[in-house]
Amino acid sequence: MRLLLELMARSSFMVLIGLLSSMLLRNRSAALRHVVLTITLFAAVAVVPLTMVVPGWHPLMGDVDSSGLPDFGPLPEAQAVSAPSASAGRSEPPADSRHLVTPAVIAGMWAVGGAVSGMVLLAGIRRLRRIEARAERVQSAEWTLVVGTISGEYGLTRPVILLVTETPDLLATWGLLRPRVLLPSHAREWSTERREVVLRHELAHISRGDWLVQFGAEVMRTLFWFNPLVWAICTRLRRESEQACDDLVLAGGVPVKQYATELLELARTCRPYRSPSGAVTPMAHPSTLERRFAVMLNPLTDHRPASSRALAATAVLLLGLSFPVAAFRAGQTAPLPLAGAVYDPSGAVLPSVQLTLVDVRRHQWKATTDASGHFDFPQLEPGRYEIDVSLLGFRPLHHVFDLRTPTDWDRAITLEVGEVSEAIMVRAARQPGPAPAAPTVPLTVRVGGNIRTPRKLQNVPPVYPPAMRAAGREGVVPIEAVIGTDGAVHSVRVLSASIHPDFAVAAADAVRQWRFAPTLLNGVPVDVSMTVNIQFSLSD
């Protein structure tokens, strides 16, 4: 959940940069501002995967975050993990004072909001498809000739489909590969001047690819429905695309007065189309006309399309900014002393244990547990560390871990009992023996593999340790046990040192009391290994 919030914050930062940049460019052309917002939208999406691959950095520490550090290799099997643990005497908040807004609740709220927004968007597209299915395609020469002429001026090679709908208030363009211009039902009565104005404006949207950009913004708003910055950039994209198309129409030779008159008349005859989706944008929405008229009549406003040099510079600046934003690691914890305790598998503390700590720069610290099994290291900054723990009679422990949140500086380590092994080699002189006899083929061959799996006869549920429940702690205990030929459980062993001893003891005590029907292999009882994961969790 923390990573998800960081990704949302980075995307929001990129959107904010784009909105501020477009405001600073208010005296430049609308086409340039639209490009800035479009690249901002792409950078806000690109910052999410970049966060996963770009090495992290923190400006105050001058060092990389642990997520960008090299790994020290795989951990030793079933022993190399240490976990946070409460120090002796430390007070824990009561269970009823914990936050009610859990990550699951937040994820559920986001999913519900995203589902509602997605259904609204899909409902709008479905409505447009229904309108299009009932529309009549325009194929008259007076329309197609104008479309061909304007398409040639805009360098548009894709075929454009004109559709007269049954809706009197719909005038918009949508679609990517097969763009369609949806005209109101009274479009056949338009004058030649109005047809040219409308087609110049709508084909300008197609040549600029505005529908794809706007639809991508609507999808992003569906995912980030709770973020007002995303709503703001969607609104600004619409406004800038309309003004950029106005500039193209005026650059095509249409007088400003005639164009403004036609827009005003269209706004009167075509009421605002109330679509439940952002898939289309009305050409003459009354709420934007006043501002568009002011821009068209302002002689100081730049109406030129964005140059290739400006596009390249904008793309380099905004996309280049996404890399440091993705690498930035905010909210690092201040340096804290690393402390904890070392236990044996029974939960008893272990004094005189030698601990060696090494950081990524190979700085080394040593400590020894006191009579109460506790150890202390000096203040350590956030980052990645490796620790070696050893005591005669116990398995050596080597572990790589990260210090990020404050609880990571308080650790519990459990050492497993060591194994005694010895290798003996007996040598003797080889004596000549009789010649090997010819191999014989047995008359019968015994085929194995017929096994009957164990069936639990007696189950004893684990008891949640009172101390862990009072401290509000949870954990999962992986256990390996052996079911003997008599159905009893033998050789119970906890597979991880990351578990607090109270959890390990409670889980092991329960498993030892289980009883099974004997496991039969080819009709003969045999021992069988069993792996169990026992999870201790607290419910709200």
Side-chain angles (χ1 to χ4, degrees), residues 68-82:
L69 297 176
D71 197 355
F72 288 105
L75 305 181
E77 182 179 357
Q79 70 168 18
V81 181
S82 61

Side-chain angles (χ1 to χ4, degrees), residues 77-81 83 345 414 416 462 474-481 491-500 503-508 511 514 530-536:
E77 182 179 357
Q79 70 168 18
V81 181
T414 301
E416 295 185 7
E474 300 177 332
V476 178
V477 183
I479 288 180
E480 183 184 72
S491 303
V492 177
R493 185 168 71 93
V494 178
L495 297 179
S496 175
S498 65
I499 307 303
H500 194 280
F503 285 135
V505 171
V511 173
W514 293 354
M530 174 182 64
T531 301
V532 183
N533 287 323
I534 299 179
Q535 181 175 358
F536 293 88

